[in-house]
Amino acid sequence: MKRERLTIEQLLGVDKFVVDDQEAHIRLNKEHCESCETKPCTFACPAGLFAVKDGAISFDHAGCLECGTCRAVCPKAGTALIWCYPRGGFGIHYRYG
Ligand code: SF4
Ligand code: SF4
């Protein structure tokens, strides 16, 4: 039986996100982001969760795929960007691997 290949949007559409409103698993210290010239997180995050608005970085952890790309590309990871996995029971629940 031939299986239909799903698009990225279709694959993400079947995943379930349990957002932790009490404790964000990724936090930004935005004062450190001000001197970040290229802001690679804004174009590297596959979920598009980083943006520059009115000259300042904005971020929302809801919808995070937990891929770690932002931590890998951030030149100030550990100071500007604090990254960890969500608490148990929270975060993305992948349905198609
Ligand atoms: S999170 Fe990292 S990559 Fe993104 S703007 Fe801040 S310092 Fe730059
Ligand atoms: S872990 Fe991945 S999906 Fe989540 S904010 Fe970072 S780059 Fe975006």
Side-chain angles (χ1 to χ4, degrees), residues 20-27 59 61 82 84:
D20 188 345
D21 292 324
Q22 305 297 315
E23 193 174 311
H25 66 289
I26 300 173
R27 290 181 289 110
F59 171 71
H61 69 284
I82 311 298
C84 61

Side-chain angles (χ1 to χ4, degrees), residues 28 32-33 36 39-41 50 57 74-76 80-81:
L28 294 188
H32 291 286
C33 295
C36 178
K39 295 183 174 39
C41 58
F50 296 82
I57 193 84
C74 177
K76 303 180 184 191
L81 183 141

